[in-house]
Amino acid sequence: FAVLMGTHLLKDIINGSKMIILSSRQRHPPRDRLRFFCGGFLLSSVALFTMYVSTIYNMAIATSNSELIINSVIILFITDTDEQVFDVLMVLNERWVASMSRKMYDDKR
């Protein structure tokens, strides 16, 4: 359970932490720094909250190892919707997503 949840949510926790660190750089305007901080804080918080809630939920509900894994997979499937939304946006307007991604990449430099 811990390995499954950790491998899936660690990416969001690391990216959120990087955004928080990026918000401390003086080279960015205050508005962008605030956006980086809020986005990083929310991303990390949601990932950590998901891990906490799924742990509590699985400890209360799961009676066997197979139920524990099934519940974990269901929770991870539900939390994976942000990446699915990104894929839908890529299909609808790839140029807009590319320009926004380029802007975010340039801001990280």
Side-chain angles (χ1 to χ4, degrees):
F1 166 73
V3 172
L4 184 64
M5 294 299 288
T7 55
H8 186 76
L9 296 175
L10 196 58
K11 175 184 164 191
D12 288 340
I13 294 169
I14 290 171
N15 285 336
S17 300
K18 285 182 177 181
M19 288 178 69
I20 291 172
I21 292 169
L22 189 62
S23 72
S24 67
R25 303 270 168 90
Q26 296 293 327
R27 64 182 172 201
H28 299 293
R31 181 173 180 251
D32 288 345
R33 292 173 57 200
L34 180 63
R35 280 188 13 221
F36 288 142
F37 180 79
C38 291
F41 178 76
L42 288 173
L43 184 61
S44 296
S45 297
V46 167
L48 290 171
F49 184 70
T50 300
M51 185 159 317
Y52 171 73
V53 169
S54 62
T55 301
I56 299 297
Y57 173 77
N58 278 320
M59 286 175 52
I61 299 295
T63 57
S64 67
N65 286 339
S66 60
E67 283 186 15
L68 184 70
I69 292 179
I70 289 170
N71 290 342
S72 300
V73 169
I74 291 169
I75 291 169
L76 293 175
F77 176 76
I78 291 169
T79 59
D80 200 39
T81 56
D82 63 331
E83 293 172 16
Q84 300 301 322
V85 169
F86 181 78
D87 291 341
V88 168
L89 287 174
M90 284 295 288
V91 170
L92 292 176
N93 195 346
E94 186 175 350
R95 200 170 26 179
W96 178 78
V97 174
S99 70
M100 294 305 284
S101 297
R102 196 174 323 107
K103 181 180 178 190
M104 286 177 50
Y105 178 75
D106 291 342
D107 287 343
K108 287 184 180 181
R109 285 184 169 184

